[in-house]
Amino acid sequence: MIRTRELTTQAGFYEEFLMGRGKFDPVEFGVNLSREDFTDQMVGDFAETYRDGWTVDELLLHPREAMRFCDDVRRQHAYYDLPDDIILRVILGRRKNP
């Protein structure tokens, strides 16, 4: 019985932590933009950097380049607390839901 409760609690944690990563407020990371404006900015930065050269899928196949892109975005906008996965996730999300 105790083990079942542990698994339920652990499963709940992972569901909230991993599956909920798409639900965030940019302000949580020191970004003073609405989520839509933040997404526009990240997509714009991606388009400017890779001008018809790479898709976001291609970028994700090159992890070092993806990390460099994220580092450049953080430096450019002073978003020092913004994780890589949030930057890349909003670009992926826009591609799937234009």
Side-chain angles (χ1 to χ4, degrees):
M1 184 77 170
I2 293 173
R3 184 173 170 87
T4 303
R5 183 176 175 164
E6 273 183 34
L7 291 176
T8 303
T9 303
Q10 185 178 19
F13 167 78
Y14 284 116
E15 181 178 346
E16 182 178 336
F17 180 75
L18 297 174
M19 301 306 279
R21 296 292 283 181
K23 299 173 186 170
F24 72 94
D25 182 354
V27 175
E28 295 171 4
F29 302 105
V31 177
N32 293 320
L33 296 172
S34 70
R35 185 172 172 145
E36 186 65 29
D37 290 340
F38 171 70
T39 300
D40 290 343
Q41 187 179 64
M42 294 299 102
V43 170
D45 288 347
F46 176 80
E48 184 178 314
T49 302
Y50 297 104
R51 288 190 183 98
D52 299 322
W54 280 9
T55 64
V56 68
D57 296 313
E58 185 68 23
L59 178 64
L60 294 174
L61 293 174
H62 298 86
R64 289 185 188 109
E65 180 66 18
M67 288 171 51
R68 187 199 60 77
F69 171 72
C70 292
D71 287 343
D72 289 348
V73 165
R74 277 190 288 274
R75 277 192 294 275
Q76 179 181 358
H77 300 292
Y79 297 159
Y80 301 113
D81 296 327
L82 189 62
D84 292 356
D85 68 306
I86 296 296
I87 294 169
L88 298 170
R89 191 178 302 272
V90 298
I91 297 167
L92 277 168
R94 176 60 60 86
R95 180 204 62 190
K96 291 180 181 177
N97 302 303

